[in-house]
Amino acid sequence: MKPPRFDYLAPSSLDEALGLLDQHRDQAKVLAGGQSLVPLLNFRLARPAYLVDLNEIDGLDEIRMDRGDLVIGAMARQRDVETSSLVRAHCPLLAEAMPQIGHVQIRNRGTLGGSVAHADPASELPAVIAALDGDLVVTSGRGQRVLKPDAFFVSYFTTALDPTELLTSVRLPALPPRTGTAFLEMSRRHGDFALVGVAATVTIDDAGVCTRCALALTGVGPAPVVPREVATSLVGVRPTPDAITEIGQGVSAFVRPESDLHASSDYRTHLAGVLTERALVRCVERTRGAHHDGRP
Ligand SMILES: Cc1cc2nc3c(=O)[nH]c(=O)nc-3n(C[C@H](O)[C@H](O)[C@H](O)COP(=O)(O)OP(=O)(O)OC[C@H]3O[C@@H](n4cnc5c(N)ncnc54)[C@H](O)[C@@H]3O)c2cc1C
């Protein structure tokens, strides 16, 4: 299959790219790693008149620390995020999720921002960002706005970005000491999109009592699903096996996934509970000082 005809535009600066988006609006599509967009073009599911390639713009792929937060540019390749020592040290949850995205060849080209902006309901990164309550930095010719995940991810393949805006970076906050994190997913084969995935974080105090717990799931709704009240019910108690089982049951009761070709609603509901429980067990183990850098 070949893509429909389009004009290829390769701006060399962010300002130039934003100017082109402002000029062509919904006639234009942004090209990042092309791992989702090119198949869409080839199957004629997208027919933009202009393709605005971000690959010639310097500085959009930085991975850096800023005031304790990890900041990742939208054009950072997924493989660079996966292998970054900063990411391993400061955001092991992200480091653990990265290798579960497709195959290494896809991650070599695919970008963090492309995956987030594409907003596939089964993708890993939106759930990781939602569990960490990260900031999504959006830039247009009018300036910058910063969105939280629940405002950014709207529905299936739909975000709050308008056609003149680019996602330029993602900011992930530092987690407190004595925090353990885990990302677990179930897919039919390695490299497939997740049937269900869970991103989890647990923080405990010196007495072993949970002071913070966050969960976000992928594959069980049109956008990342955040069972906030279920997760916070662990706060103030010791994360014992019984308490964790209760959270898993609470998550199963909370989610309402749809059935599709790959899995029934009942199976996804079951998986959501089981994976939550396993992820929380890992988080608690990882709060006990064992250094965890995201490697399995
Ligand atoms: C075989 C296969 C398996 C895969 N498995 C997985 C998987 O398990 N999990 C997973 O999460 N993904 C998976 N993917 C998708 C992969 O992660 C893509 O890299 C990602 O979805 C898109 O990133 P990209 O950089 O390639 O973006 P592109 O394909 O270039 O763009 C995707 C969309 O986002 C828009 N866009 C890109 N960057 C920006 C930006 N900065 N601002 C605004 N809009 C932007 C584009 O206009 C387009 O609409 C798989 C892909 C393939 C081909």
Side-chain angles (χ1 to χ4, degrees), residues 31-179:
L31 176 69
Q35 299 302 297
S36 297
L37 183 57
V38 172
L40 287 174
L41 294 173
N42 288 349
F43 285 115
R44 311 273 167 131
L45 293 169
R47 293 171 170 273
Y50 301 93
L51 218 53
V52 179
D53 187 348
L54 301 183
N55 286 275
E56 299 301 317
I57 303 174
D58 282 339
L60 279 183
D61 60 351
E62 276 183 343
I63 302 176
R64 63 186 168 89
M65 298 304 294
D66 180 40
R67 287 167 283 142
D69 296 345
L70 179 66
V71 179
I72 306 181
M75 286 298 288
R77 303 286 166 193
Q78 293 162 3
R79 180 72 178 155
D80 291 335
V81 176
E82 177 184 347
T83 55
S84 157
S85 51
L86 274 185
V87 173
R88 287 209 169 117
H90 295 280
C91 196
L93 178 61
L94 180 60
E96 188 169 38
M98 293 311 299
Q100 310 200 41
I101 300 176
H103 301 276
V104 75
Q105 292 84 348
I106 290 154
R107 301 195 298 274
N108 279 339
R109 283 303 296 170
T111 64
L112 177 111
S115 173
V116 173
H118 190 56
D120 189 302
S123 60
E124 288 79 5
L125 295 180
V128 169
I129 296 166
L132 295 170
D133 200 28
D135 288 333
L136 297 128
V137 180
V138 171
T139 309
S140 71
R142 301 179 301 282
Q144 217 172 59
R145 59 186 183 128
V146 178
L147 298 182
K148 283 293 179 189
D150 54 356
F152 183 87
F153 297 108
V154 174
S155 188
Y156 299 97
F157 302 101
T158 308
T159 68
L161 287 171
D162 81 26
T164 66
E165 290 179 317
L166 284 177
L167 175 68
T168 41
S169 64
V170 171
R171 176 180 280 265
L172 301 172
L175 291 173
R178 286 180 171 273
T179 296

